[in-house]
């Protein structure tokens, strides 16, 4: 659905750019988690780099601004729809996107907000112990958060890039990467 009202042509491009920032965050976060296949020490070393990148005041402001803007603009576009008839992929993307903020709130409280308020260090040993041993439901919430955010982002990227000539050629490799990275 294209924007027909004057002055609203900026909504979709802004939402796209916000989504790209969020996807870059997810990509680096999953990349950091993938280091766990090597060792916990490698994960911790990656965490230092990851936090250096994303807890920089400018990057953190861009990330939180992108999160809020992407969510609000998504709600606005959903509100503006004349009908809820849509393809299954679009319904899944919307449902997954709406599920992310409540799941993310718990994770943010335990990591970033705790760090800012109490100067805690969200070390992977502590986080893994907490979410998989002490509170397995937290681990399930975290897995749902990552799955929903990742699928939402991959659908968004696919439907943004699908009309590019080069994308059809690279699609099998990108699909494999999109599936394998979170696994």
């Amino acid at each position: 659905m294209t924007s027909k009202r004057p002055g609203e042509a900026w909504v979709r491009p802004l939402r796209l750019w916000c989504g790209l920032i969020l996807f870059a965050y997810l990509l680096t976060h999953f990349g950091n988690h993938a280091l766990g296949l090597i060792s916990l020490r490698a994960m911790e070393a990656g965490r230092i780099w990851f936090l250096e990148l994303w807890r920089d005041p400018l990057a953190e402001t861009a990330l939180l601004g992108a999160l809020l803007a992407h969510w609000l603009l998504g709600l606005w576009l959903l509100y503006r729809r004349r009908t809820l008839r849509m393809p299954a992929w679009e319904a899944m993307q919307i449902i997954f996107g709406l599920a992310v903020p409540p799941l993310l709130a718990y994770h943010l409280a335990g990591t970033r907000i705790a760090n800012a308020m109490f100067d805690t260090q969200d070390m992977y040993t502590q986080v893994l112990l907490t979410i998989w041993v002490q509170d397995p439901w937290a681990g399930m919430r975290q897995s749902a958060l990552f799955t929903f955010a990742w699928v939402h982002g991959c659908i968004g990227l696919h439907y943004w890039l699908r009309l590019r000539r080069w994308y059809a050629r690279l699609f099998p490799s990108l699909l494999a990467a999109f599936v394998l990275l979170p696994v």
Side-chain angles (χ1 to χ4, degrees):
M1 186 171 120
T2 58
S3 180
K4 301 279 188 205
R5 296 182 187 179
E8 291 184 5
W10 57 272
V11 173
R12 288 192 187 271
L14 177 60
R15 189 159 176 268
L16 171 66
W17 279 104
C18 291
L20 290 173
I21 291 169
L22 296 171
F23 198 80
Y25 178 84
L26 274 178
L27 193 60
T28 55
H29 203 36
F30 273 144
N32 192 184
H33 288 191
L35 292 174
L37 294 172
I38 299 168
S39 70
L40 193 55
R41 185 172 295 153
M43 238 175 136
E44 282 298 333
R47 182 184 72 86
I48 302 301
W49 175 85
F50 175 78
L51 293 179
E52 194 69 30
L53 173 66
W54 289 106
R55 287 199 180 156
D56 172 77
L58 184 62
E60 192 168 40
T61 301
L63 179 63
L64 294 175
L67 181 66
L68 183 62
H70 189 74
W71 184 66
L72 290 174
L73 291 172
L75 288 175
W76 172 251
L77 290 173
L78 185 60
Y79 170 75
R80 293 268 333 273
R81 291 182 74 95
R82 293 174 189 229
T83 178
L84 289 178
R85 290 180 122 181
M86 64 188 81
W89 68 264
E90 191 175 5
M92 187 166 83
Q93 186 182 29
I94 290 169
I95 290 167
F96 280 18
L98 292 174
V100 167
L103 293 168
L104 184 61
Y106 182 85
H107 181 60
L108 276 176
T111 55
R112 185 63 191 115
I113 294 172
N115 174 266
M117 292 180 70
F118 307 111
D119 199 31
T120 61
Q121 298 300 312
D122 42 353
M123 310 280 284
Y124 273 113
T125 50
Q126 177 187 353
V127 171
L128 292 173
L129 176 68
T130 301
I131 68 172
W132 291 114
V133 177
Q134 296 172 343
D135 185 7
W137 282 109
M140 299 308 280
R141 271 192 310 271
Q142 191 70 7
S143 295
L145 167 63
F146 279 154
T147 302
F148 292 169
W150 186 253
V151 170
H152 175 83
C154 287
I155 291 171
L157 279 177
H158 173 72
Y159 282 92
W160 173 53
L161 296 173
R162 76 186 188 279
L163 300 176
R164 308 296 193 279
R165 240 181 284 156
W166 54 267
Y167 182 69
R169 195 174 60 254
L170 291 178
F171 177 73
S173 301
L174 289 172
L175 179 61
F178 286 157
V179 170
L180 289 176
L181 185 63
V183 171

